[in-house]
Amino acid sequence: VRPETARQLPAEWKYEISDEELENIPVTIDIGNESVWKKTLVTVGILAAISLGTYFGLEKWNSPETGELLVKGDVQAARVYLDDTDFIGYSNKTILNVPVGVHRITAIKEGYVSIPRFHEVEISADSMRTIEFKFKIASSEIQGFLKVVADQRGSKIYVDKNYYGNLEDSPVLTLDEGQHTISIDKTGYVTVPAEKVVHISAGDTSLLIVQQVPVPRKDRTELGLNPGNAGTIAVTSNVKNARIFINGKDTGQETDYVFTQMPPGNYDIQIQKEGFSVEPQNMDVRLTRNNTEGNAKFQLSRMFEKVKIVTDPPQGPIYVDGKFMGEGKYEGVLKIGTYNLSFGSVSGYITPRPRRIEVRGGFPLSLSERYFPKMKILAAINNRGDLISQECEVYTGYTLKNRAFTTSGEGGPAVEYNDHLKDYVWKLGYAFPYRNPKGNDAIKVSFRLPRDLDYDQKFTVRILAATSHEKYPLSLNTKVDISVKFNNTVLSYYYEPKFIEDLNGLEEIQWDVTPYIEPGENSFEISTTEKNNTFYFIKRIEIFN
């Protein structure tokens, strides 16, 4: 097809034969039975095939190492490219003889947009890798199409300085609505115009026709455009828009970019992007008359990532690896890695525990640390015999065997002055001297905790109390048995309070109730039991974190 007739071809074929249909065109061996000499040719052909198979089987040991690649897609016959420029096959078919190493794989289907745009894969010898693309139909609401017509096959298309493949592979481009700068490059030719700004309208197809004028052989040599000594260098990176440097000089271009019309020689390629480390730091690319294509691939990793840390209340001092970062809020960047995060004290609150945090590239870190308020629940009798309650409700009453606490003004512990203690206390014994059963004196402290807090806190119940040698009337022996419960759970079956007479005062004892604490309603209950027959005295009950 000559260039002048190529322009007359329609923009869309009426019917396109897919690669699957091509492979399914039947070819039978019956044609070999038409004559003897044809049979002879078939026989010779089979023998030749066997010989060639043996030859290539032996040569396999010396062939370059290759692997296999299966590119899955939800559309058929998408064209698969190796490192952007080399067409290697179609989607949903196993592609053989893919060179080992790390490659960038793209899949193109006209009228569709691939998700993701490309895959970075490592091909190993004698193994198969599988990758998958999703294809969505190009939206006519936000995208349009551009058909490019040029004289020379193998011309490379650039859109806004980004390489879009060869002309014959992408005769119709799907582009976002708006203005785009288009350039066509072919070694040994000058494109007229060199660049063209086109406007793409959503849902419409624009047409761009360019002329390619051959550069005279003499001028090619002077300009370094001789096809025998000019080449290309493709510079790519996993993170785009990294600045490209060649032989220490800023090219003004950013990844991904293909440099064309490069004379033979050695090139030192480097890229830079603020906030990223580059691996490798540089790559040496050598172009010769026989090797006119070079590739430089770089892997960028974030060196820093955004971090936001806030505290509630907003007065919490924030420390990272012991360094003060702010009060109530820190918002900035940290180098990729792990850190010790700790907090300073705030009056009226428990300081959160230090912990390790990890800052990862590509994952902005946002943390919120809520201080837990200091809580002190108090129920006590002061030195005047009055009840003191703080953040709680205090109830007096009684219990019976196998029955829960009952609030009562008639039966329950009394507040009395104790001569031995020289102070006022609750006196617990039996509830009703003239009943059977007599019941047991009890005290219940109820309190409420917020529901929207993280209860990773230690809570403790502490009491100031003791028993006495003063027995119930008509009791012959001394038996001490006190029941202590938190949220209806027995705290200890082995609590043995000491005697006032031995202590010359009261005993302070405490229990860890962290496993039993609950958001919302909580209660602490202490009482004598059916087995107890000595009087028990309580001065103070505290619950705190």
Side-chain angles (χ1 to χ4, degrees):
V1 180
R2 294 181 178 276
E4 56 270 19
T5 58
R7 296 192 182 99
Q8 302 176 28
L9 295 177
E12 298 290 341
W13 295 105
K14 179 177 280 189
Y15 183 80
E16 180 182 355
I17 299 177
S18 68
D19 58 321
E20 289 85 355
E21 291 171 315
L22 286 173
E23 291 184 359
N24 289 326
I25 295 176
V27 179
T28 69
I29 203 169
D30 293 341
I31 59 173
N33 297 325
E34 294 181 5
S35 63
V36 174
W37 66 271
K38 286 185 178 180
K39 290 182 179 180
T40 304
L41 286 178
V42 170
T43 304
V44 172
I46 293 173
L47 292 175
I50 294 173
S51 299
L52 288 172
T54 304
Y55 171 77
F56 284 111
L58 294 173
E59 285 296 311
K60 181 179 178 181
W61 298 103
N62 300 319
S63 62
E65 290 186 333
T66 60
E68 298 178 0
L69 176 67
L70 175 60
V71 179
K72 293 184 177 180
D74 50 7
V75 300
Q76 296 298 322
R79 297 174 66 88
V80 179
Y81 291 86
L82 183 76
D83 300 324
D84 291 330
T85 58
D86 297 332
F87 170 69
I88 57 174
Y90 292 92
S91 61
N92 298 316
K93 289 182 176 295
T94 301
I95 302 172
L96 308 177
N97 301 322
V98 182
V100 299
V102 179
H103 298 285
R104 184 158 122 157
I105 306 300
T106 53
I108 298 175
K109 179 73 172 179
E110 288 187 27
Y112 292 85
V113 177
S114 68
I115 302 173
R117 183 69 186 272
F118 65 89
H119 279 287
E120 290 276 356
V121 299
E122 182 174 0
I123 303 297
S124 302
D126 300 324
S127 65
M128 186 175 77
R129 285 294 306 272
T130 301
I131 59 176
E132 185 171 1
F133 288 92
K134 298 291 184 181
F135 291 87
K136 68 175 183 179
I137 298 176
S139 173
S140 60
E141 297 179 358
I142 60 174
Q143 293 172 315
F145 307 94
L146 175 66
K147 179 175 177 59
V148 180
V149 177
D151 296 333
Q152 302 300 321
R153 292 179 61 83
S155 297
K156 296 177 180 179
I157 307 174
Y158 296 86
V159 179
D160 300 325
K161 297 185 178 181
N162 294 314
Y163 179 62
Y164 265 64
N166 289 338
L167 181 62
E168 57 268 26
D169 296 336
S170 305
V172 178
L173 305 177
T174 302
L175 301 176
D176 291 337
E177 184 178 24
Q179 288 189 340
H180 299 277
T181 301
I182 311 298
S183 58
I184 309 297
D185 180 74
K186 174 70 175 179
T187 302
Y189 292 84
V190 174
T191 303
V192 181
E195 287 187 344
K196 179 70 174 178
V197 177
V198 298
H199 182 81
I200 301 298
S201 298
D204 290 342
T205 300
S206 300
L207 177 65
L208 174 62
I209 301 176
V210 298
Q211 292 183 336
Q212 293 172 299
V213 180
V215 178
R217 190 171 298 276
K218 177 182 178 181
D219 295 338
R220 294 187 196 182
T221 303
E222 292 177 357
L223 296 173
L225 299 179
N226 191 331
N229 61 16
T232 61
I233 299 177
V235 184
T236 59
S237 60
N238 62 314
V239 179
K240 306 309 169 199
N241 303 321
R243 200 75 167 183
I244 303 174
F245 295 79
I246 297 181
N247 295 335
K249 294 182 179 180
D250 188 346
T251 64
Q253 305 296 341
E254 297 179 337
T255 57
D256 293 344
Y257 190 79
V258 179
F259 294 90
T260 61
Q261 300 177 1
M262 303 291 289
N266 295 322
Y267 296 90
D268 178 60
I269 312 296
Q270 294 177 309
I271 65 172
Q272 295 178 7
K273 188 174 178 66
E274 186 177 358
F276 289 82
S277 61
V278 182
E279 184 67 30
Q281 294 184 353
N282 68 298
M283 292 193 68
D284 292 324
V285 175
R286 178 176 174 81
L287 298 181
T288 65
R289 291 179 177 272
N290 297 325
N291 180 24
T292 59
E293 294 186 2
N295 292 283
K297 298 180 182 180
F298 295 91
Q299 192 77 17
L300 280 76
S301 302
R302 287 185 182 272
M303 297 177 61
F304 298 89
E305 189 53 81
K306 293 180 181 179
V307 175
K308 181 179 179 181
I309 305 171
V310 296
T311 67
D312 181 14
Q315 297 84 28
I318 301 170
Y319 297 88
V320 176
D321 281 349
K323 180 181 177 181
F324 177 72
M325 307 299 288
E327 188 173 278
K329 182 178 181 180
Y330 167 71
E331 192 165 8
V333 295
L334 292 177
K335 201 170 184 178
I336 304 304
T338 56
Y339 298 87
N340 289 314
L341 176 64
S342 57
F343 301 89
S345 60
V346 176
S347 178
Y349 292 87
I350 302 293
T351 303
R353 298 188 185 96
R355 55 193 174 104
R356 296 283 287 176
I357 60 172
E358 182 180 7
V359 180
R360 297 188 295 162
F363 298 90
L365 183 63
S366 182
L367 299 173
S368 179
E369 189 70 36
R370 190 169 186 182
Y371 280 62
F372 201 96
K374 288 183 179 179
M375 296 183 175
K376 185 174 182 180
I377 313 300
L378 175 65
I381 302 296
N382 66 14
N383 56 10
R384 295 187 302 272
D386 299 324
L387 172 66
I388 300 174
S389 63
Q390 180 178 313
E391 304 295 333
C392 66
E393 297 289 337
V394 182
Y395 305 94
T396 57
Y398 62 91
T399 64
L400 293 172
K401 187 176 183 181
N402 300 323
R403 288 180 58 181
F405 174 85
T406 301
T407 302
S408 174
E410 178 186 1
V415 176
E416 294 185 1
Y417 182 82
N418 185 279
D419 292 330
H420 194 87
L421 297 172
K422 301 293 191 285
D423 203 353
Y424 286 94
V425 292
W426 277 298
K427 183 178 181 180
L428 283 73
Y430 50 79
F432 303 103
Y434 305 108
R435 292 185 186 179
N436 187 18
K438 298 180 181 299
N440 308 293
D441 287 337
I443 299 174
K444 184 175 183 178
V445 178
S446 295
F447 59 97
R448 185 178 182 84
L449 295 179
R451 293 185 178 276
D452 59 344
L453 293 177
D454 179 10
Y455 281 85
D456 185 21
Q457 298 286 321
K458 181 179 180 180
F459 278 81
T460 303
V461 171
R462 181 167 60 202
I463 64 173
L464 187 64
T467 190
S468 70
H469 289 297
E470 180 186 356
K471 297 187 291 293
Y472 294 174
L474 304 178
S475 296
L476 300 178
N477 60 345
T478 299
K479 177 66 176 176
V480 180
D481 191 57
I482 305 299
S483 172
V484 183
K485 295 181 180 180
F486 191 90
N487 285 341
N488 294 319
T489 299
V490 177
L491 294 182
S492 175
Y493 289 97
Y494 307 104
Y495 171 45
E496 296 182 0
K498 295 181 180 178
F499 293 91
I500 291 176
E501 295 81 3
D502 299 336
L503 293 170
N504 289 322
L506 297 173
E507 175 190 22
E508 190 175 88
I509 187 168
Q510 63 186 32
W511 293 271
D512 182 359
V513 294
T514 305
Y516 317 114
I517 204 80
E518 296 177 356
E521 296 293 337
N522 291 265
S523 66
F524 171 77
E525 183 183 318
I526 188 166
S527 68
T528 55
T529 69
E530 304 287 339
K531 298 178 181 178
N532 186 79
N533 62 7
T534 65
F535 288 99
Y536 180 72
F537 301 95
I538 302 176
K539 175 68 176 178
R540 185 174 68 248
I541 300 171
E542 296 175 276
I543 304 168
F544 58 91
N545 63 342

